[in-house]
Amino acid sequence: MWAFEDDFDTYSDGDLNGQGSWSGNAAFDVQGSVVHHGTKAVSLVLSNDVTINSPSFTSAANGTAYVSMRATNVSMAASSGGMVSVLKTAADTAIAYIGLVADKLRISINGGVWADTGISVVANIWYRIAIAFETGAGGWEGLAADTYKVSIDNGASWSGAESLVASSGVEKLTLAVDGPGGSGTGYWDFISPDYAKASSSFDSLLLAGD
């Protein structure tokens, strides 16, 4: 079951690489100006075709991961600079992509061909995205084996299920840009197995402005 959580609040402003065992490109920055939860979030200029990996965690055969995402430009075409979150195995194999691409929340098995979830997105809005996945025999959130789906609005409306690369489980999350040529800034915040923290004043709406 997915259990990894990070809200970035205890990190110093500046390079995320090396803080909290995150590892990757130095272009990802911790900052406190644009946040969805708490006091800090991660930002990235989307013209950088770069990645950064979370620390490895106990393998999750299934579960639901929540991540807040926001971009100043959500109109980039696939492979042209959209911001993405990627589920990976311990061997660093990408098994599922979730992105703000071409004005939609889109998902992909390989980061090349993106399925339209039917969920439209706009710039400068935080989206609290739920990623439900099943790498085992099936059953989590009604999913068959080796499939996943996404939602916003705290699960009120789910996308259709898409295949993911067969694996024994998810052991890290990667923040990335889907190819070069993008523009604007992407932001990530509050990765968690929960929509909101207990005893928190966290916005009860999944779509939240400034």
Side-chain angles (χ1 to χ4, degrees), residues 101-127:
V101 177
D103 300 308
K104 295 286 184 69
L105 175 61
R106 298 179 188 268
I107 54 182
S108 173
I109 191 172
N110 58 11
V113 178
W114 288 88
D116 183 353
T117 65
I119 300 171
S120 296
V121 296
V122 297
N124 298 311
I125 293 290
W126 279 107
Y127 293 90

Side-chain angles (χ1 to χ4, degrees), residues 4 21 53-58 89-90 171-172:
F4 175 69
S21 296
N53 291 322
S54 75
S56 295
F57 44 81
T58 301
T89 67
E171 296 193 29
K172 67 178 72 171

Side-chain angles (χ1 to χ4, degrees), residues 51-128:
T51 64
I52 195 165
N53 291 322
S54 75
S56 295
F57 44 81
T58 301
S59 182
N62 55 31
T64 300
Y66 289 89
V67 58
S68 296
M69 297 173 65
R70 169 184 174 139
T72 62
N73 183 354
V74 296
S75 299
M76 280 85 74
S79 301
S80 298
M83 67 178 296
V84 300
S85 300
V86 187
L87 302 182
K88 285 187 174 181
T89 67
D92 212 39
T93 300
I95 65 171
Y97 292 72
I98 303 90
L100 304 183
V101 177
D103 300 308
K104 295 286 184 69
L105 175 61
R106 298 179 188 268
I107 54 182
S108 173
I109 191 172
N110 58 11
V113 178
W114 288 88
D116 183 353
T117 65
I119 300 171
S120 296
V121 296
V122 297
N124 298 311
I125 293 290
W126 279 107
Y127 293 90
R128 187 100 177 114

